[in-house]
Amino acid sequence: MRSVDTNTTRRLHQEGVTGDDLLPLIDRALAGQGPLTKAELAERLAGRASGQGIVHLVALAAHHGLAVLGPARGGKPTYVHAADWLGAPVVPEPDRDRALAELAHRYRRAHHPSTPEDLAAWSGLSLGAARTAWSLAGPPAGVDLSASTQLVRLAPAFDEYLLGWKSRDPILPAEHSRKVFPGGGILRPVVLVDGMIAGVWGRKGSEVTVSPFGEPAPGPQLDAEIADVRRFLG
């Protein structure tokens, strides 16, 4: 935590944000306000920070468990006090080994099959630390794909499942990679069948169009998923 504070304080100083009260300052600015955009937070900070200085000030609060990201508003990110959003500040885990084990455990539940190299690429941990986390977490529980019906999901563009890998080869056949990642920072919504990317999808209003790479996903499961997406879209 000390090195994080040091790096964040250095960046704050580079942005002209100084003082001995920076953590209480951002704590007060966020507390009880609900999600705030950067512009709204700038008003509450009354000139103490602007631009990227606000982002690094929120990062300082986040490192101490006092701030989290809120829902985007008008295409802009928002920041919210952890106590307002979660009911209480986030308490950092003081035991490094236990924290590493929990991180690896949660990562593997969301990314299967995966490796320590994937965890390192996703988390920013060194490969050595990721391997330590992997071993501390114990054997992965695995995913039971023996059921008679396949699991079909429509994942949105930039879903975490698509981003958390060193290489997407285990979940995306290389010959279809450009259909999902055509370039220019575009990442298309995908069809997942038992965790594998089996196609892409899009929508126009409430109409959902699926473009499978090969065999279409199982009809009843896909129809149910499309119906869920339509309900979500209203």
Side-chain angles (χ1 to χ4, degrees):
M1 183 69 73
R2 186 175 301 168
S3 63
V4 169
D5 279 355
T6 301
N7 290 336
T8 304
T9 301
R10 176 177 56 80
R11 290 294 290 117
L12 284 166
H13 285 181
Q14 290 172 349
E15 296 293 332
V17 184
T18 59
D20 297 329
D21 63 336
L22 296 184
L23 190 59
L25 173 69
I26 187 62
D27 186 11
R28 290 192 302 270
L30 288 169
Q33 300 301 307
L36 297 173
T37 64
K38 187 165 70 171
E40 291 167 340
L41 195 48
E43 291 183 9
R44 288 193 53 77
L45 291 169
R48 289 290 302 274
S50 62
Q52 285 301 106
I54 294 174
V55 176
H56 292 296
L57 200 53
V58 173
L60 180 67
H63 291 317
H64 287 270
L66 296 175
V68 294
L69 282 173
R73 191 190 323 141
K76 304 289 186 181
T78 66
Y79 312 100
V80 59
H81 199 288
D84 295 342
W85 208 239
L86 304 177
V90 178
V91 179
E93 170 57 70
D95 186 320
R96 177 175 171 79
D97 283 352
R98 194 160 59 187
L100 286 173
E102 183 66 17
L103 179 66
H105 174 69
R106 294 192 182 197
Y107 173 80
R108 290 196 303 206
R109 288 184 63 185
H111 300 83
H112 179 86
S114 54
T115 67
E117 287 77 9
D118 293 313
L119 175 60
W122 172 81
S123 66
L125 291 172
S126 68
L127 181 55
R131 286 172 173 163
T132 297
W134 212 258
S135 63
L136 289 170
V143 176
D144 182 9
L145 300 180
S146 62
S148 58
T149 57
Q150 292 177 300
L151 181 63
V152 179
R153 290 289 183 265
L154 300 185
F158 298 97
D159 188 82
E160 164 57 27
Y161 186 70
L162 307 180
L163 301 176
W165 307 83
K166 181 179 181 181
S167 169
R168 297 181 185 92
D169 289 348
I171 62 169
L172 175 61
E175 64 268 26
H176 299 304
S177 179
R178 296 292 291 181
K179 298 173 185 175
V180 178
F181 306 97
I186 296 173
L187 176 55
R188 293 193 171 116
V190 299
V191 182
L192 298 174
V193 179
D194 288 341
M196 293 290 294
I197 299 176
V200 294
W201 67 279
R203 71 178 180 91
K204 187 174 183 180
S206 62
E207 291 302 312
V208 176
T209 303
V210 173
S211 301
F213 296 153
E215 290 293 324
Q221 291 81 13
L222 180 59
D223 290 345
E225 186 69 3
I226 289 174
D228 281 344
V229 170
R230 285 176 174 163
R231 279 194 293 270
F232 178 77
L233 296 173

